Amino acid sequence: MTTETIEWTAVCAIDNILPNTGVCALVNNRHVAVFRVGQNQFHAIDSIDPQSNASVLSRGLLGSLGDRVVVASPLYKNHFDLHTGECLENAAYSVRAHAVRVAGEKVEVALS
Amino acid sequence: MKMMKIIVVGHGMVGHKFLEEMHQLQVPGVHVTVLCEEPRPAYDRVHLSEFFAGKRAEDLSLVAPDFFEQSGFELRLNTRVASIERRNKTLTTQDGEILAYDKLVLATGSSPFVPPVRGNDRERCFVYRTIEDLQAMAAAGAISRSGVVVGGGLLGLECAKALRDLGLQTHVVEFAPRLMTVQVDDEGGRILRNKIEALGVHVHTSRNTTEIINGATAHHRMVFADGTHLETDMIVFSAGIRPRDELARQCALAIGPRGGVVIDSVCRSSDHDVFAIGECAAWNEQVFGLVAPGYDMARVAARFIAGQEQVAFAGADMSTKLKLMGVDVASIGDAQGRTPGCRSFRYTDENKQIYKKIVVSEDGQQLLGAVLVGNADEYGTLLQMALNGIALPADPEFLILPSSDGKAKPGLGPDALPDSAQICSCNNVSKGQICAAVADGVTTIADMKACTKAGATCGGCVPLVTQIMKAEMAKRGMAVNNHICEHFAYSRQELYHLVRVGMIRSFDELLAQHGKGLGCDICKPAAANILASCWNDFVLKGELASLQDSNDYFLGNIQKDGTYSVVPRMAGGEVTPDGLIAVGQVAKKYGLYTKLTGGQRVDLFGARVEQLPLIWEELIAAGFESGHAYGKSLRTVKSCVGSTWCRYGVGDSVGLAVELENRYKGLRAPHKIKFGVSGCTRECAEAQGKDVGIIATERGWNLYVCGNGGMKPRHAELIASDLDKDTLIRLIDRFLMFYIRTADRLQRTSTWRDNLEGGLDYLKQVLIEDSLGLADELEAQMQHVVDSYQCEWKTAVTTPEVRQRFRTFVNSEQGDQRIVFMPERGQIRPARAEELATDIADGAPV
């Protein structure tokens, strides 16, 4: 039995993300959208919007739809669940969600 | 199958209505020819006086541009019929051409009655019926100082407005002792006269003109039977109409005792292959001088000819409501109180110059008639009561008395109306049809107009239509949820008030006090927009930044590949050569695709987020400001070159456009706003297709509002004429702030206007007459926005915590390698999917 070690990458300081917005980080050459919901909740999903193939999800507006916390793509307004990466309007456009944690003042991401 | 040949004589409002009905019925094997003696197809004679208020002949046209191609009907202009040979079923045109018909429809209308006084054929004597008449009046008006209208009836007063619009000292000469003899009573006539005289029109009643001779101080002298006289430069006769029945007389059809072709209940004349509709027809010895009964006849005749048996014209209600020079006048049923035993209630307000009267039956149960002068708010309710025989309340006087305690009047709920009640008389729409449309899913007044045509002609019934629609929706449990989204149980309009009244400055406050959840991509930008309209703080300041959608967050327009476009403001479309060179140099340096916009400026495409502050720093250094192309805000004020250079220009359109653009730049609104300013009526700036359009006149500026190009083109409507610049700006301030205050989210002014209860009249009352008492507040709110303007890009590049957000990656200085351009026509364009060799799954370039 092998123990998989999770590889965490520090992407920025907490203060680099304005509350209720996102930023795009390059993690192992992958475009990852990292969001700060309220003061201290963080989420990460792929930043590339499958419908447009453009790296824009980090620039979407955050919000809630029912109980789900979502980001809306700025291009075609699809909503993505920040916990799962699921696209609410069309499952075929879903993206991957990644792990995030705060270590000291740093926000760290681990690719899933 | 043999073709049925139908010939229509006369292409006026009623003639055209017949054609529309025939087209709609889609009867196979019918060939329709319409002969029109005028040089242009049917136009709206009801709104003829708007010709002098800036409308052009084309604006008044009633014929959809492709109507004749679509219908296959044939229109012959400038074709007058000389005679009808009923025995052969032919007619002969004045050019001698003989045309055969199976069915002939006379829609020849009426001609103005000119009193037979000596001198009535002098030059500068006119009638008021056709666009040619108006053009001749306008030409004479230019060389006249004063004008007289002979006739103080409905049309005469319309005509007086036209003379006043021409800038003439205007007189009305009436034979009877009061104005509008048919529609109002003595007291109503007196109040109407006071109101009209207060507008600068001189009224002379009980004057019988005996002859017209050369004047001493003016072109004409009118001599009256009582020995007095009046001098004037031009005269317009508008003393009633006479049916144009000369063709019917020539071919010996039966003629009514007071003229007009005698028709039966399906509009057939004494020859069953000849029909007559509109003002040339006499039904039950009556000639109807209004358009609604004419339309009704057109419908009946068309359906009967198409083979429908169950149609009949059953007379018409002659109730009318109109606005004469801004004065409301309405008349219902037995306005004069001629029914034996009837009783009336009267209310006069000498202060506001308002007169209201109702006439009720002897037993006090039924409303027989009414007269309203100065204020006609009760017209809809009273008319329905009279038409449907609805039982009156115990104290009917309260129907017309003002309510002192603000309580609602004993009005008439839509429930009281039978389904058969005709709500829109222009288009014959019943309450039942309106309710059926709701059942089919119609929930807005704009859709209701499109679907049923209710309220689409004169608009007088729109308040009642709205009431019925809403009541029906409530009954069906369709209480329209106009909540902006799941986080706020309020409409945009309500949120605006909550923000204003509660002095709310942030989304967190708004959500905590009035909402739930986290907010979303609907309510956040809407709230940000409302906050900006009210307080005008920098849109990227603190928490506000997190509410902005990508365009407002990066102050550019996002494109399909995630790049942004850059649009520097060029107020009025004016740009110096140095400015143009600077823009070109920036575009060249950053490799941007360059295109001119429809709003007379330059758009630069393909900028990555980290390039935006650098680009703008250079543009700002060259003297440019943000063009707000990304915001729901004022975009551009398009202009033509105007009187400065153009040999036709009568106003400095560029100067005004620059001033207006600089005044309203940065103003956030429910949707984008576009202006246009033209230096003359040639309208090269296409101002009538804009939210706010301004056209220079010899005497100032005409203001048009709520136009639109785009998906649903709509002509802007004239709301005021010949304004000086200060008044113009004041009205625009009020208009924009009123729109910002009351519109829905992402509702352009055109849709807002289509849904505005009370329509254009209401808008004019609010903006010009200040009926809501809001004008000062609206102006002050606008002044605050104007005074607190800042160039958002200047603030963004000089505020470090804002500027540092303009980067592609938070953890790398590199740009987005996935953005790839290809060359096309000497510039760049985004690479297409098949041109990219990128692994979509992880986003890394291969």
Side-chain angles (χ1 to χ4, degrees):
Chain A
M1 192 175 166
T2 54
T3 314
E4 223 178 308
T5 45
I6 296 175
E7 191 191 327
W8 291 97
T9 307
V11 294
C12 64
I14 293 174
D15 287 350
N16 287 148
I17 315 180
L18 184 73
N20 297 312
T21 69
V23 295
C24 187
L26 206 52
V27 181
N28 285 350
N29 256 346
R30 194 175 181 95
H31 290 222
V32 178
V34 184
F35 299 100
R36 180 177 180 186
V37 178
Q39 288 300 319
N40 42 29
Q41 283 234 19
F42 293 85
H43 301 278
I45 62 172
D46 284 340
S47 189
I48 290 166
D49 172 13
Q51 192 177 348
S52 59
N53 193 25
S55 177
V56 294
L57 293 188
S58 65
R59 303 180 212 154
L61 274 166
L62 294 178
S64 60
L65 288 180
D67 295 332
R68 303 169 88 151
V69 180
V70 297
V71 64
S73 163
L75 281 170
Y76 298 111
K77 316 295 176 191
N78 292 330
H79 295 89
F80 297 84
D81 188 316
L82 294 191
H83 288 100
T84 63
E86 185 193 343
C87 174
L88 273 56
E89 284 79 8
N90 184 347
Y93 289 144
S94 295
V95 297
R96 273 160 69 180
H98 306 284
V100 201
R101 71 178 185 189
V102 175
E105 286 301 301
K106 291 283 179 189
V107 181
E108 297 183 344
V109 172
L111 296 182
S112 60
Chain B
M1 194 167 109
K2 188 179 175 294
M3 288 291 272
M4 172 166 39
K5 276 185 261 168
I6 302 175
I7 297 182
V8 180
V9 184
H11 195 221
M13 298 181 78
V14 171
H16 188 63
K17 179 57 100 185
F18 177 83
L19 299 183
E20 286 183 342
E21 289 289 324
M22 278 317 284
H23 176 47
Q24 212 173 10
L25 290 166
Q26 293 287 338
V27 189
V30 166
H31 185 265
V32 183
T33 306
V34 57
L35 309 177
C36 177
E37 69 176 14
E38 289 189 54
R40 57 174 61 78
Y43 52 88
D44 185 354
R45 272 190 239 276
V46 173
H47 294 106
L48 208 52
S49 69
E50 290 175 18
F51 180 83
F52 292 109
K55 284 219 175 169
R56 293 160 307 164
E58 308 89 87
D59 299 329
L60 292 170
S61 175
L62 290 174
V63 184
D66 56 351
F67 178 79
F68 286 98
E69 289 87 79
Q70 288 273 327
S71 63
F73 297 170
E74 186 188 348
L75 168 67
R76 296 203 190 178
L77 296 174
N78 299 308
T79 306
R80 184 191 277 263
V81 176
S83 63
I84 298 169
E85 296 79 42
R86 293 199 285 123
R87 195 166 305 164
N88 311 333
K89 295 181 86 168
T90 59
L91 55 78
T92 308
T93 69
Q94 69 180 22
D95 297 335
E97 192 181 355
I98 296 173
L99 301 171
Y101 65 81
D102 296 305
K103 302 282 177 199
L104 181 65
V105 179
L106 299 175
T108 44
S110 64
S111 55
F113 169 66
V114 178
V117 297
R118 193 142 39 94
N120 65 10
D121 55 351
R122 289 163 56 91
E123 61 160 349
R124 289 202 234 168
C125 284
F126 304 95
V127 294
Y128 183 71
R129 173 86 188 169
T130 65
I131 286 181
E132 284 64 39
D133 293 335
L134 266 61
Q135 285 166 339
M137 279 169 64
I143 51 164
S144 298
R145 277 172 301 134
S146 59
V148 165
V149 178
V150 177
L154 198 150
L155 255 179
L157 294 179
E158 270 284 314
C159 182
K161 176 187 186 299
L163 291 186
R164 210 181 53 136
D165 284 344
L166 284 173
L168 304 183
Q169 191 188 62
T170 305
H171 300 262
V172 173
V173 170
E174 167 60 46
F175 178 74
R178 65 161 187 268
L179 297 172
M180 291 186 73
T181 345
V182 181
Q183 292 87 358
V184 306
D185 58 1
D186 283 339
E187 180 67 0
R190 185 178 71 82
I191 297 283
L192 178 61
R193 177 182 184 144
N194 289 348
K195 291 219 110 167
I196 284 175
E197 288 190 324
L199 293 166
V201 174
H202 305 272
V203 177
H204 313 263
T205 49
S206 303
R207 289 292 199 292
N208 180 12
T209 311
T210 52
E211 63 173 341
I212 302 164
I213 56 176
N214 281 333
T217 60
H219 189 70
H220 305 289
R221 168 178 289 198
M222 301 174 70
V223 181
F224 303 122
D226 61 4
T228 60
H229 63 83
L230 177 64
E231 301 221 329
T232 178
D233 291 324
M234 62 187 276
I235 298 172
V236 186
F237 294 104
S238 184
I241 55 161
R242 293 292 179 267
R244 292 271 308 266
D245 53 14
E246 60 268 22
L247 279 172
R249 288 176 193 271
Q250 167 270 321
C251 68
L253 291 170
I255 300 291
R258 276 176 289 173
V261 186
V262 171
I263 57 167
D264 61 13
S265 65
V266 291
C267 303
R268 281 181 305 198
S269 70
S270 51
D271 176 338
H272 283 188
D273 289 320
V274 182
F275 293 71
I277 54 178
E279 292 176 335
C280 67
W283 177 88
N284 224 356
E285 302 193 356
Q286 248 183 305
V287 171
F288 298 93
L290 293 179
V291 74
Y295 278 3
D296 214 14
M297 291 181 198
R299 268 189 289 268
V300 168
R303 285 175 200 190
F304 184 78
I305 292 172
Q308 298 183 12
E309 304 275 313
Q310 307 290 30
V311 289
F313 177 76
D317 174 60
M318 297 300 277
S319 300
T320 37
K321 176 188 165 192
L322 61 154
K323 212 181 213 2
L324 292 166
M325 294 180 262
V327 181
D328 281 318
V329 184
S331 167
I332 295 171
D334 182 9
Q336 317 286 354
R338 294 203 176 109
T339 311
C342 69
R343 292 165 191 174
S344 63
F345 297 82
R346 297 189 177 86
Y347 167 75
T348 309
D349 178 343
E350 290 275 358
N351 190 27
K352 291 186 188 148
Q353 294 287 326
I354 291 171
Y355 172 70
K356 297 182 179 184
K357 176 177 85 166
I358 50 174
V359 180
V360 307
S361 59
E362 191 168 9
D363 59 6
Q365 294 293 306
Q366 308 275 303
L367 182 69
L368 300 175
V371 176
L372 306 168
V373 178
N375 172 314
D377 289 350
E378 296 87 356
Y379 177 75
T381 299
L382 295 177
L383 178 64
Q384 290 300 329
M385 284 187 153
L387 289 181
N388 297 295
I390 292 165
L392 285 172
D395 303 308
E397 62 270 29
F398 287 108
L399 289 169
I400 52 169
L401 288 178
S403 56
S404 51
D405 53 0
K407 263 197 297 193
K409 288 186 192 178
L412 175 70
D415 282 348
L417 296 171
D419 271 356
S420 59
Q422 187 194 53
I423 307 300
C424 171
S425 55
C426 297
N427 295 299
N428 190 23
V429 183
S430 68
K431 180 190 163 194
Q433 285 168 283
I434 292 168
C435 294
V438 173
D440 289 342
V442 170
T443 56
T444 66
I445 195 72
D447 288 348
M448 185 59 78
K449 284 183 196 169
C451 171
T452 63
K453 289 204 167 175
T457 301
C458 82
C461 62
V462 170
L464 189 57
V465 173
T466 310
Q467 247 188 325
I468 292 170
M469 184 179 80
K470 287 193 173 159
E472 184 64 17
M473 283 162 61
K475 219 183 282 173
R476 297 177 165 270
M478 290 165 60
V480 252
N481 180 342
N482 55 3
H483 301 170
I484 190 161
C485 67
E486 66 181 61
H487 305 104
F488 291 94
Y490 298 103
S491 64
R492 180 198 171 274
Q493 188 176 356
E494 289 163 337
L495 282 180
Y496 180 90
H497 282 282
L498 291 171
V499 167
R500 264 270 179 225
V501 174
M503 305 281 282
I504 291 173
R505 312 283 298 215
S506 75
F507 183 73
D508 283 349
E509 264 180 88
L510 186 65
L511 193 65
Q513 291 180 31
H514 304 289
K516 61 176 187 198
L518 297 180
C520 65
D521 55 314
I522 305 291
C523 60
K524 280 182 173 179
N529 180 274
I530 291 171
L531 291 166
S533 293
C534 289
W535 318 123
N536 211 21
D537 289 325
F538 176 50
V539 294
L540 300 182
K541 181 177 145 192
E543 181 231 41
L544 293 176
S546 69
L547 309 176
Q548 310 297 351
D549 69 14
S550 189
N551 284 3
D552 274 313
Y553 189 92
F554 289 108
L555 306 175
N557 288 47
I558 195 167
Q559 303 300 323
K560 60 195 289 186
D561 59 351
T563 61
Y564 291 82
S565 71
V566 170
V567 185
R569 189 168 295 289
M570 293 176 182
E574 192 174 71
V575 59
T576 63
D578 282 341
L580 215 43
I581 288 166
V583 170
Q585 280 169 340
V586 168
K588 197 167 180 180
K589 178 169 169 187
Y590 292 91
L592 305 173
Y593 169 74
T594 307
K595 190 176 187 308
L596 299 181
T597 73
Q600 300 185 332
R601 48 191 190 175
V602 181
D603 206 339
L604 313 174
F605 290 79
R608 297 189 307 266
V609 282
E610 72 274 13
Q611 294 176 317
L612 288 168
L614 304 169
I615 290 169
W616 274 103
E617 225 161 27
E618 294 189 29
L619 290 172
I620 290 166
F624 287 103
E625 293 184 316
S626 168
H628 290 93
Y630 45 80
K632 303 301 177 211
S633 52
L634 176 79
R635 295 288 168 87
T636 63
V637 182
K638 185 174 179 175
S639 68
C640 68
V641 82
S643 58
T644 317
W645 291 91
C646 176
R647 66 195 192 279
Y648 299 117
V650 295
D652 175 15
S653 44
V654 181
L656 182 68
V658 171
E659 186 174 343
L660 291 175
E661 187 158 339
N662 282 321
R663 180 171 180 81
Y664 301 113
K665 64 188 174 187
L667 171 72
R668 291 298 205 280
H671 211 311
K672 61 185 170 188
I673 301 171
K674 298 176 178 179
F675 280 38
V677 183
S678 281
C680 78
T681 53
R682 283 172 181 76
E683 244 286 65
C684 295
E686 295 160 336
Q688 288 170 98
K690 303 285 188 274
D691 298 279
V692 175
I694 297 141
I695 301 176
T697 70
E698 303 278 356
R699 291 184 293 272
W701 305 96
N702 283 356
L703 174 60
Y704 297 78
V705 295
C706 302
N708 196 8
M711 193 158 56
K712 258 178 88 179
R714 181 186 199 280
H715 266 131
E717 294 158 309
L718 181 72
I719 63 163
S721 310
D722 299 327
L723 302 167
D724 59 73
K725 198 175 76 186
D726 289 347
T727 313
L728 174 77
I729 289 176
R730 246 193 345 264
L731 282 180
I732 300 173
D733 280 3
R734 294 176 188 180
F735 169 74
L736 292 174
M737 268 297 161
F738 188 57
Y739 160 65
I740 288 170
R741 191 181 179 117
T742 57
D744 280 337
R745 171 184 161 267
L746 300 186
Q747 188 177 42
R748 290 290 297 269
T749 59
S750 56
T751 331
W752 171 72
R753 160 68 185 84
D754 283 339
N755 281 290
L756 197 64
E757 272 177 53
L760 186 64
D761 278 348
Y762 173 71
L763 192 58
K764 283 184 187 171
Q765 282 163 19
V766 173
L767 301 182
I768 299 168
E769 297 158 33
D770 192 16
S771 59
L772 298 180
L774 278 177
D776 291 346
E777 195 180 322
L778 297 175
E779 286 172 34
Q781 289 168 353
M782 181 61 80
Q783 197 56 46
H784 169 73
V785 172
V786 171
D787 293 341
S788 54
Y789 167 80
Q790 57 184 310
C791 169
E792 288 165 355
W793 264 113
K794 192 169 187 180
T795 313
V797 296
T798 53
T799 309
E801 69 265 27
V802 173
R803 184 166 181 156
Q804 59 103 9
R805 295 181 204 142
F806 288 84
R807 51 193 302 183
T808 295
F809 298 113
V810 72
N811 60 345
S812 163
E813 291 305 319
Q814 62 171 277
D816 184 350
Q817 306 293 316
R818 305 179 72 265
I819 295 172
V820 178
F821 299 115
M822 305 298 280
E824 188 167 271
R825 295 187 297 277
Q827 298 202 68
I828 58 159
R829 64 159 170 81
R832 300 187 188 105
E834 67 272 16
E835 293 164 339
L836 285 170
T838 305
D839 181 348
I840 294 169
D842 67 2
V846 174

